[in-house]
Amino acid sequence: MNAFFAIINIGFLFFVAYRIWSGDKSPMKNIFWPALSVKLVAGICLGLLYRYYYNGGDTFTYFEEGTKLTALARSDVFLYVRFLWSGDESFDAWNSLISLQPRALFMIKVVSVVNLFSHDNYWISSLYLSFICFTSAWYLVTTIERFKPSLRYAAVFGFLFFPSFVFWSSGLIKESLAIAALFLLVNVFLKVWMKETIRPVQWVLISVSLWMLWMLKYYYLAVFLPIVTTSLIFRFLFYTRFTSTPLTYRVLIWCTIFIIPLVIVATIHPNFYPNRFLDVIVANYYDFHIISEADDLIYYDGFQSSVGSILKNAPWALFSGLFRPFPWEAGTALKLLISIENMLLMVLSVTALVNVTKVLRSPNRLLLFSAALYVVVLCVFLALSTPNFGTLARYRVGFLPFFILLISIDNPLLNRLKVFIQRSAGHLVR
């Protein structure tokens, strides 16, 4: 019976994937199946990693807790729906759960819905979440390609094939759903930027994505929303009026507008209240130092909950979040793989510096500035509050593909590699 349900679910996923592929008109259609295969395999590998290397973890906790709610759905569907909507200690199901932290509980509820389709099969549920994340990434990449064809290879590299990003945004973990929601919002942002019509179904997906991202990774949204709101306001109200003004003046106007959504965000979650925000960052930093190995941590000089201390340590946090651990800091095979990727990112970053002048003159410099600011702010925030290399490698998927996109745009090293691959392929065809 389990094999039957597995075949049915895999067949359904293949059918949906085929419909997406067959309806795609982009030049990247030929990479759809390789990219999807990599994503689905990554989700399975993540489950194997947690089972045989970590001997358990959040992914199996979410699944096992989710099966308890799935059992409730099969016995009393109305009670199950009520619990999904407003579950608290007044429900018997509440007492059967172990993970009651709000974000974990939300994830458990989502997994329970997926389990209804997978017939409580962890691996099939993992495939569903990987597929959802891939679909969102695919549509974003096709939108980027349509907006700027020259960004095609950079987008494909960053959003579909960069190993650690693909791995840590796959399978039955919060990042799979959070990244899917984030990418959908970025996709809609680009459509609005290009003055395209947003269809009714997309408005529904926007609402769901905002809700899901806020419940799972609210700090992604807290950085993303002020930046995109400011950019859209500047784009449609000020951009054409100040085309001839100096760049520094336009940046000053952008920063002035930015204050308004930033203040709004600071009032919608307790952790962002001005009198608490710095305390939360520093408290998280020292909590990680208590529970982590000494050689698996980022260290900051005299780290305190003051603006001066945050600004003093922000450059090192940015550097560490983007490029560490180094190979000589890698004490495990996993950290060694991450460190090799980090060396690649550092090389690409250095070679990308030759394009700084070109970026400043680009007609899309406002978009590139917005993406860069998102990367810098989120990276600094995560590296300061989550100084554990292993945890940070997973958390940084929220900004990593955007960073890869930025440093891959017309990168001379990648351009030479692309030419080499094309020539090699041409020789093989002959």
Side-chain angles (χ1 to χ4, degrees), residues 66-275:
T67 58
K68 298 175 183 178
L69 297 185
T70 307
L72 173 64
R74 295 191 179 107
S75 62
D76 191 336
V77 65
F78 295 107
L79 184 62
Y80 169 71
V81 172
R82 284 174 52 208
F83 185 84
L84 291 184
W85 182 254
S86 60
D88 56 26
E89 57 272 11
S90 65
F91 291 78
D92 292 337
W94 178 274
N95 299 319
S96 69
L97 300 176
I98 299 173
S99 300
L100 298 175
Q101 191 270 342
R103 282 185 285 171
L105 182 59
F106 180 84
M107 184 65 183
I108 290 167
K109 291 177 179 180
V110 173
V111 171
S112 74
V113 176
V114 179
N115 284 350
L116 288 172
F117 293 93
S118 71
H119 201 64
D120 290 334
N121 184 315
Y122 171 87
W123 305 105
I124 299 299
S125 293
S126 173
L127 290 179
Y128 269 110
L129 268 64
S130 296
F131 182 79
I132 291 170
C133 189
F134 167 79
T135 303
S136 185
W138 177 259
Y139 281 121
L140 175 57
V141 169
T142 56
T143 299
I144 292 173
E145 193 277 336
R146 194 158 41 81
F147 169 69
K148 192 73 173 177
S150 61
L151 299 182
R152 178 189 310 158
Y153 295 106
V156 167
F157 178 48
F159 293 90
L160 297 179
F161 285 107
F162 195 77
S164 66
F165 168 72
V166 172
F167 184 80
W168 290 114
S169 61
S170 302
L172 209 155
I173 54 177
K174 288 185 288 188
E175 283 74 12
S176 294
L177 291 176
I179 292 300
L182 177 64
F183 282 0
L184 187 141
L185 294 174
V186 175
N187 195 6
V188 171
F189 165 68
L190 287 176
K191 288 176 180 290
V192 174
W193 189 271
M194 294 186 289
K195 301 180 180 179
E196 294 184 357
T197 303
I198 306 300
R199 293 174 294 175
V201 65
Q202 291 176 317
W203 284 111
V204 175
L205 291 175
I206 291 171
S207 301
V208 173
S209 296
L210 287 170
W211 171 58
M212 187 167 292
L213 191 56
W214 183 254
M215 296 300 296
L216 292 172
K217 298 284 182 178
Y218 64 88
Y219 38 89
Y220 289 2
L221 198 58
V223 177
F224 174 78
L225 278 183
I227 292 175
V228 299
T229 302
T230 303
S231 296
L232 289 175
I233 292 173
F234 187 88
R235 163 86 162 89
F236 291 108
L237 297 183
F238 297 95
Y239 189 76
T240 56
R241 300 180 184 180
F242 298 98
T243 53
S244 59
T245 56
L247 179 61
T248 52
Y249 185 67
R250 279 173 282 170
V251 171
L252 182 61
I253 295 174
W254 193 97
C255 293
T256 303
I257 302 171
F258 183 61
I259 294 174
I260 300 173
L262 198 63
V263 170
I264 295 174
V265 166
T267 64
I268 59 178
H269 195 284
N271 283 351
F272 295 129
Y273 292 170
N275 60 344

